[in-house]
Amino acid sequence: MSSPLRREEVAHVAKLARLSLTDAELDLFTEQLGQVLEHANDMNSLNLEGVVATAHPFGLTNVVRSDEVRASLDRDEVLAMAPDAQDGRFAVPRIMGEAP
Amino acid sequence: MTLANGWEIVVGLEVHTELKTASKMFCGCANSFGAEPNTNICPVCLGLPGSLPVLNERAVELAMAIGMALHSTIAPSTFHRKNYFYPDMPKDFQISQYDLPINVGGYLDLPDASRVSIERAHLEEDTGKSTHLGGTGRLQGAERSLVDYNRSGVPLVEIVSGPDIRSSAQARAYAQELRGILIATGASDGRMEEGSMRIDANVSIRKANAPFGTRCEIKNLNSLRSLQRAIDYEALRQVELLEGGGTVRQETRHWDELLGETSTMRVKEDADDYRYFREPDLVDLAPDQSWQDRVRAGLSPMPAERRQKLAARLIDPTSAQLDAVEVVIDLGLDDLVERAVDEGVSATLAISRAANELAASIDEVKNFSSESFTATLLMEQRGELSATQAKTVLAELLTHGGDPHEVAREMGFEQLSSSSLGATVAALIEEHPDEWTRYREGDEKLAQFFIGQVMKLTKGQANGKSVVAELQARR
Amino acid sequence: MKTAVQIASDVQRGASSADEQLSLSLEAVRARNEELHVFLYVDEDGAREAAARVDDVIAKGDNAGPLAGVPIAIKDNVCQRGVPTTCGSKILQGWRPPYSATVIDRLLAAGAVPVGKTNLDEFAMGSSTENSAFGPTRNPLCPSRVPGGSSGGSAAAVAADMTPLAIGSDTGGSIRQPAALCGIVGMKPTYGLVSRYGLIAFSSSLDQIGPFAKTVTDAATLLEVLAGHDPMDSTSLPEPSPSLVAHLNDGVAGKRIGVVTELIEGADDEIVNEVRRALQAFRDAGATVVELSIPELRLGLSAYYLIAPAEASSNLARYDGVRYGLRVDAADVTAMNEATRTAGFGDEVKRRIMLGTYALSAGYYDAYYGQALKVRTQMIDAFARAYREVDFLVGATTPTVAFAIGEKASNPMAMYLSDVFTIPTNLAGEAAITVPFGTGEADLPIGVQLLGPGRSEAQLLSAARVLELADGRP
């Protein structure tokens, strides 16, 4: 079966998702994800022209909270869970570029 | 600045303003600047697994207030996730409004009567802050970075102007006027140096009426001065580039205030794929008319209206006086001025003292009472204080506070009360009978002679007009 | 083993104590946990404290709540302050949340005693609990077979009589499918009925916490405790917890019930037969049964396997090695993120993250994710049309009884198909329950699924009670 998905697309997506794949994994995932997308083509059997997309099952609106300050977490407890911390902050290795 | 060879600057501004709420946008952590690192954090703004955002009502109201001040339409809106990895972003996505922002369209009229269109003003959350270790302390060359999430989740409104701005001066005027509006709505304190108002400028150039050129986005504009300088620098850079046969590349550029130049920060890439989709943890926002009306009813007058009102207190104002009015409004001093005028101070004097003496010590003004201002100016107006003395008293009151009358006395200005001035004038008349006779016979120039003598005796602390008044009284 | 309702009654009136019930539960856990791998963590100290608090309340003559002293198992994707919470993933190994989910607070307030955290497919992605980074859970009724998933540990805890109650989460069938395969009651409540605050997200618009129990009455009692508005969850329904137990004996007399072609086609004959037998039980109880076809349901699987991965790809971005959990060191932060995520996530999670990233990416959004959201609308409309004809729907919960460990592990698509009957309810945000009804091959249990519109929990529970009685259980 020809996959609707190309190997380089899977590689690109893996990069976007910050995952690295071996060549064998790339082959396997290309095939497996291709099967799911192939199955998804059955959606084209419906005429969806003009149908509104539903992102939420129920139409709640204007759910807000009042602007009140509540207690924050204890910093030491939070930083104790961090892989690396220094001077009350979370430490990371070199950042390669500015945020977009 | 005008560009050579018929080139025209085209600028659109994206202004991010932190909203002055008590708590953050989606959680109850305090929204405060300058706290110890990572002390205002909770499961939500730290993006801990399982946490969920709940929208801050006040943030919505401040966003609406901004929209109303900018003549935007308050529209039904949604929240999206903008997905990208960055260590200062705890969920590795930012909650922002995308295709359906809360404020759509609008405009901002500038004091010079030009109008800049507003495309949108939408809500989004701020990121944390990184400090870089090693190298120069900037990102480039650093070995390691430390992240503080206190700012993560602070509510922001991003105000996007149309590409209508045609000079760096107009860009500055826009930013200044917008800042006044943000302060007037109570949305922001407008402190650029603390990052509570941040400006990105999209700059391109074109020949008059030609299609827009490729634009560069300039970041790190931390003051109105930087904004103006950076736009001028960038426009000239693009002119040189194009006239030298090159092309402008669409990119993000960093403004270096010390070097006075922009440099490439980040080239737009095809890989910029933010995979926007509806934030499933938040529901639609659709403020109804009654909610909008409540917000509108709470709005204070905007700078343009206040400027007009204050200028109307002046009779045939000069352009210098109108400039002073603008300064008074920009600095939010109009309330002090209006109260002084209501108490009988002349508008000319109140505006001048506010635009000069108060403006020079603007940081101290917040501890300064309108009563002190009014009382000092009334003393000056009655001739109890000379202009120089009044300024000295104001400066003292601004720095150390106190009662204006006591301050004046302590500074030795008390002998200038009208009775002591009267005695001085009377003594001089006795000493100089010839001059006095000539003055009485109508030689007005001799008033200057008497003023000079009084000044000599009082070491310059007398009020000229008061001296004339004393002379007139004896004529 | 006694039901939760019996235990609560015994403990409240002093015939037993919360501590004694906890001891019985811990004994049952010790007896079979090594074999079945149900619990990833048993919080004995915390449970003893919770039990002591319940016993104190009762000693003072106060009411300890509807679940007084009832031991309960918690799926390990629900945060409990200070208790290791892994989501079945190496990426969260060792993490102890500094806060508790709303459902944990409600359970404690109702007198329940959380015993520990149960195994699951990593990040709730799976249908067999084989995708746990810490090894599979076995079906207590037949240990060579799977308990279903993703809430396999919670279903097995109840089926193995370790605890009378458990909570799980259901994104595409993760409560109902394992409940069916383990022969117990499991319910996916209406979206928004139970707070998701503290439930580690898989797919935010589909996830819903719900109850596991041996009896319908226990399930209703637990759901009443879990449900109700929570200001910490913007998608929480704005009303208080519904009255469920009071309606348990409402029956189905006079009701119109639809049996849905698309919810039985492809199921094994022995399962279809039990569904037919259930329909007869409803007729016997005074209901009218009609046959219905809802063709849109056939597209549920396709829409689900785009929507759920899309949301998951974003929900799981935060596991980047910066703030908590695993970090694999590297020279720069991008490489560190990548090394951490590559080492920390299992294959199924990676597959779904990549699928979701692809479905949302520029150029494919409209063809896949956008299309799936429209199918979701069609699904909601189709259900709504059906509910104008009938009060509730009936179908199979699963196409087969419990399958063997390893049988579908290498074929993701085959595994996905085991959720084909449960997925439509999640897409519509509605309610559904599975109740054990008869047995099939190797005497393994079969579940019949009842589906209703949003907020129809009381009706579905009372109908499930009809089947429970018809199947000879008190």
Side-chain angles (χ1 to χ4, degrees):
Chain A
M1 187 178 71
S2 78
S3 170
L5 196 61
R6 285 176 295 119
R7 203 171 179 275
E8 48 273 31
E9 288 175 314
V10 177
H12 172 68
V13 160
K15 188 166 172 250
L16 271 179
R18 301 258 156 113
L19 294 169
S20 58
L21 302 181
T22 63
D23 281 353
E25 284 172 326
L26 202 49
D27 289 335
L28 180 67
F29 286 154
T30 302
E31 193 200 317
Q32 290 175 335
L33 299 184
Q35 282 172 15
V36 179
L37 294 177
E38 186 80 24
H39 190 274
N41 285 332
D42 67 3
M43 294 191 304
N44 298 328
S45 67
L46 276 184
N47 178 9
L48 296 170
E49 197 68 33
V51 175
V52 181
T54 296
H56 255 182
F58 292 105
L60 297 175
T61 52
N62 299 341
V63 176
V64 292
R65 46 170 266 275
S66 55
D67 183 25
E68 283 159 18
V69 175
R70 297 177 55 149
S72 293
L73 290 171
D74 175 62
R75 179 170 80 181
D76 293 339
E77 187 184 356
V78 171
L79 289 179
M81 290 288 146
D84 192 4
Q86 182 183 330
D87 306 336
R89 296 173 172 92
F90 296 83
V92 294
R94 184 186 316 143
I95 301 174
M96 292 309 274
E98 302 275 357
Chain B
M1 186 192 76
T2 316
L3 296 179
N5 301 337
W7 289 105
E8 179 181 67
I9 299 182
V10 176
V11 176
L13 296 182
E14 292 169 15
V15 175
H16 284 87
T17 180
E18 287 182 349
L19 299 179
K20 238 171 43 179
T21 52
S23 64
K24 292 186 181 181
M25 184 147 168
F26 297 118
C27 65
C29 285
N31 170 14
S32 64
F33 180 82
E36 276 290 295
N38 292 308
T39 50
N40 294 332
I41 54 171
C42 77
V44 177
C45 60
L46 203 54
L48 292 187
S51 64
L52 296 171
V54 185
L55 185 58
N56 183 337
E57 181 177 33
R58 179 82 182 136
V60 176
E61 292 178 350
L62 291 175
M64 280 198 266
I66 292 171
M68 287 167 184
L70 295 173
H71 314 279
S72 304
T73 304
I74 313 294
S77 63
T78 58
F79 290 89
H80 273 65
R81 291 183 181 179
K82 180 182 184 180
N83 295 285
Y84 62 94
F85 285 88
Y86 209 74
D88 66 12
M89 214 167 44
K91 304 181 292 293
D92 287 300
F93 61 77
Q94 181 194 29
I95 303 177
S96 176
Q97 298 196 300
Y98 181 54
D99 54 349
L100 297 172
I102 181 165
N103 297 305
V104 181
Y107 59 87
L108 177 56
D109 286 333
L110 305 186
D112 71 357
S114 66
R115 174 170 287 189
V116 176
S117 69
I118 303 294
E119 290 183 354
R120 56 189 283 156
H122 69 260
L123 278 160
E124 60 183 35
E125 58 175 340
D126 211 342
T127 61
K129 245 179 175 168
S130 308
T131 332
H132 308 294
L133 302 183
T136 59
R138 269 190 63 186
L139 178 69
Q140 279 79 20
E143 277 310 305
R144 193 172 149 81
S145 299
L146 302 179
V147 194
D148 168 14
Y149 293 104
N150 280 348
R151 201 181 66 180
S152 158
V154 163
L156 293 176
V157 165
E158 179 178 347
I159 300 143
V160 183
S161 85
D164 300 348
I165 297 166
R166 292 292 175 270
S167 71
S168 62
Q170 195 190 5
R172 183 190 177 120
Y174 168 89
Q176 183 135 349
E177 187 69 6
L178 183 57
R179 186 174 168 276
I181 280 182
L182 295 174
I183 294 170
T185 52
S188 167
D189 53 24
R191 293 208 186 102
M192 290 189 75
E193 68 283 2
E194 287 179 5
S196 64
M197 176 174 157
R198 309 196 281 269
I199 306 178
D200 300 336
N202 285 298
V203 181
S204 63
I205 57 163
R206 66 169 179 181
K207 294 280 173 140
N209 299 321
F212 290 136
T214 304
R215 61 171 202 238
C216 290
E217 186 179 358
I218 318 296
K219 289 197 183 268
N220 192 41
L221 304 172
N222 297 324
S223 66
L224 295 176
R225 189 179 121 88
S226 314
L227 170 70
Q228 194 165 0
R229 289 178 71 204
I231 290 171
D232 284 338
Y233 174 89
E234 179 61 18
L236 283 173
R237 185 189 74 88
Q238 293 183 13
V239 168
E240 269 178 42
L241 204 59
L242 292 181
E243 294 197 338
T247 53
V248 176
R249 180 171 58 166
Q250 191 179 346
E251 60 187 7
T252 306
R253 296 179 69 82
H254 178 93
W255 168 250
D256 189 316
E257 183 67 34
L258 288 177
L259 296 175
E261 59 189 42
T262 65
S263 58
T264 301
M265 187 168 120
R266 204 172 160 279
V267 181
K268 291 268 176 206
E269 287 175 40
D270 293 339
D272 289 348
D273 184 345
Y274 300 123
R275 290 157 281 132
Y276 279 101
F277 74 106
R278 279 282 300 279
E279 164 55 281
D281 291 327
L282 291 170
V283 303
D284 292 5
L285 187 59
D288 58 19
Q289 198 55 49
S290 73
W291 194 7
Q292 292 186 38
D293 290 346
R294 272 201 318 278
V295 172
R296 201 178 293 276
L299 281 183
S300 314
M302 291 302 125
E305 187 188 333
R306 285 155 47 202
R307 198 179 292 123
Q308 217 168 16
K309 185 177 161 212
L310 192 55
R313 300 265 202 174
L314 297 164
I315 303 149
D316 284 335
T318 62
S319 74
Q321 283 178 321
L322 289 178
D323 286 349
V325 166
E326 214 172 297
V327 171
V328 167
I329 300 298
D330 283 343
L331 297 175
L333 298 171
D334 43 330
D335 204 39
L336 280 177
V337 171
E338 298 272 6
R339 286 197 207 188
V341 175
D342 289 343
E343 296 292 321
V345 177
S346 89
T348 313
L349 178 64
I351 290 168
S352 167
R353 289 288 169 267
N356 295 291
E357 281 65 40
L358 299 192
S361 312
I362 192 66
D363 290 339
E364 277 82 47
V365 169
K366 55 179 176 295
N367 306 317
F368 184 59
S369 75
S370 70
E371 287 77 14
S372 292
F373 184 62
T374 302
T376 311
L377 266 53
L378 283 174
M379 283 195 279
E380 180 180 357
Q381 198 162 281
R382 286 196 299 262
E384 295 163 26
L385 293 177
S386 69
T388 316
Q389 288 171 335
K391 291 175 189 178
T392 313
V393 170
L394 281 176
E396 175 62 21
L397 290 169
L398 283 164
T399 21
H400 298 109
D403 174 75
H405 296 282
E406 275 173 32
V407 168
R409 199 173 323 120
E410 279 164 21
M411 298 185 108
F413 299 156
E414 63 198 326
Q415 73 272 21
L416 286 170
S417 64
S418 56
S419 61
S420 79
L421 181 67
T424 309
V425 171
L428 280 168
I429 289 173
E430 269 182 47
E431 275 176 50
H432 303 282
D434 294 349
E435 287 81 359
W436 175 242
T437 307
R438 277 161 59 200
Y439 175 71
R440 284 183 72 174
E441 285 165 2
D443 190 346
E444 299 296 333
K445 287 201 296 293
L446 279 159
Q448 281 308 316
F449 164 79
F450 284 104
I451 291 171
Q453 292 297 314
V454 173
M455 290 297 179
K456 206 186 284 176
L457 286 171
T458 63
K459 300 187 177 70
Q461 291 176 352
N463 180 311
K465 276 188 210 157
S466 306
V467 175
V468 173
E470 291 290 340
L471 291 171
Q472 291 283 5
R474 289 168 170 77
R475 212 172 191 171
Chain C
M1 192 187 194
K2 287 188 168 177
T3 67
V5 172
Q6 286 163 342
I7 290 172
S9 161
D10 287 354
V11 170
Q12 182 64 50
R13 64 190 164 81
S16 177
S17 69
D19 197 63
E20 184 188 13
Q21 291 300 323
L22 174 61
S23 296
L24 290 171
S25 171
L26 291 172
E27 220 169 277
V29 173
R30 272 191 290 273
R32 292 193 78 183
N33 199 42
E34 203 170 321
E35 173 205 2
L36 301 175
H37 198 221
V38 170
F39 282 89
L40 292 175
Y41 182 81
V42 177
D43 182 30
E44 182 159 356
D45 292 347
R48 288 281 177 211
E49 280 171 35
R53 278 196 301 273
V54 170
D55 289 331
D56 282 352
V57 168
I58 290 168
K60 285 190 197 121
D62 291 334
N63 191 313
L67 297 177
V70 179
I72 186 165
I74 310 294
K75 187 178 183 179
D76 199 25
N77 60 352
V78 175
C79 292
Q80 189 177 349
R81 190 185 168 99
V83 177
T85 300
T86 65
C87 257
S89 181
K90 279 188 283 189
I91 210 152
L92 272 176
Q93 201 163 6
W95 184 59
R96 291 169 187 260
Y99 79 107
S100 283
T102 299
V103 290
I104 296 290
D105 291 341
R106 292 202 175 166
L107 287 171
L108 292 171
V113 176
V115 169
K117 309 300 289 286
T118 60
N119 201 12
L120 69 161
D121 286 299
E122 186 176 2
F123 284 99
M125 296 176 187
S127 311
S128 66
T129 317
E130 291 166 288
N131 292 335
S132 168
F134 308 112
T137 295
R138 294 174 176 277
N139 191 318
L141 307 175
C142 177
S144 63
R145 304 210 184 204
V146 303
S150 66
S151 315
S154 281
V158 174
D161 289 330
M162 293 174 171
T163 55
L165 298 176
I167 58 170
S169 64
D170 191 316
T171 305
S174 281
I175 290 174
R176 288 161 289 159
Q177 188 255 18
L181 300 193
C182 289
I184 61 172
V185 177
M187 184 160 211
K188 195 279 274 199
T190 303
Y191 184 80
L193 189 75
V194 179
S195 168
R196 292 184 294 117
Y197 189 74
L199 167 67
I200 300 181
F202 160 15
S203 177
S204 314
S205 77
L206 301 167
D207 296 342
Q208 190 61 196
I209 289 174
F212 285 103
K214 277 256 170 95
T215 69
V216 174
T217 308
D218 276 3
T221 306
L222 174 53
L223 184 54
E224 272 187 8
V225 167
L226 299 175
H229 179 68
D230 178 13
M232 297 298 281
D233 176 357
S234 306
T235 64
S236 168
L237 293 176
E239 63 250 15
S241 184
S243 170
L244 303 174
V245 176
H247 291 281
L248 277 175
N249 294 317
D250 284 0
V252 293
K255 300 269 186 189
R256 283 176 64 82
I257 300 170
V259 55
V260 186
T261 314
E262 288 75 17
L263 294 181
I264 46 175
E265 68 186 0
D268 286 350
D269 287 348
E270 58 185 18
I271 288 180
V272 177
N273 289 342
E274 290 305 319
V275 173
R276 299 264 173 232
R277 201 166 65 80
L279 295 172
Q280 189 53 49
F282 284 136
R283 277 190 212 99
D284 294 346
T288 313
V289 174
V290 296
E291 302 251 346
L292 279 178
S293 170
I294 310 177
E296 288 83 354
L297 303 192
R298 293 205 181 96
L299 299 170
L301 196 75
S302 292
Y304 176 84
Y305 276 99
L306 293 168
I307 292 169
E311 292 182 7
S313 70
S314 173
N315 284 332
L316 272 64
R318 69 191 68 191
Y319 306 103
D320 59 7
V322 175
R323 290 159 298 276
Y324 44 80
L326 182 72
R327 172 184 293 189
V328 176
D329 278 318
D332 65 74
V333 78
T334 305
M336 183 277 281
N337 293 158
E338 200 167 292
T340 300
R341 292 165 62 79
T342 301
F345 290 137
D347 279 357
E348 184 58 28
V349 172
K350 287 179 186 167
R351 261 194 293 275
R352 298 208 199 182
I353 288 175
M354 287 193 291
L355 188 56
T357 304
Y358 179 80
L360 288 176
S361 64
Y364 300 103
Y365 181 97
D366 290 337
Y368 290 110
Y369 185 69
Q371 192 85 340
L373 295 183
K374 291 180 176 184
V375 169
R376 191 168 184 182
T377 308
Q378 297 283 70
M379 184 94 43
I380 291 169
D381 293 348
F383 270 122
R385 279 195 300 276
Y387 293 130
R388 283 198 285 272
E389 304 286 316
V390 298
D391 293 302
F392 64 91
L393 302 171
V394 179
T397 307
T398 59
T400 66
V401 295
F403 47 91
I405 289 176
E407 187 182 321
K408 298 181 183 180
S410 61
N411 186 347
M413 202 63 221
M415 187 73 88
Y416 297 169
L417 283 166
S418 62
D419 291 334
V420 67
F421 301 142
T422 48
I423 279 170
T425 295
N426 297 81
L427 289 170
E430 296 173 342
I433 189 169
T434 181
V435 58
F437 200 74
T439 53
E441 176 212 342
D443 215 21
L444 287 163
I446 285 170
V448 169
Q449 190 183 197
L450 312 179
L451 304 82
R455 302 176 167 99
S456 64
E457 281 77 9
Q459 176 184 222
L460 294 181
L461 284 158
S462 64
R465 178 86 184 115
V466 168
L467 293 187
E468 189 174 56
L469 288 169
D471 209 34
R473 279 169 286 137

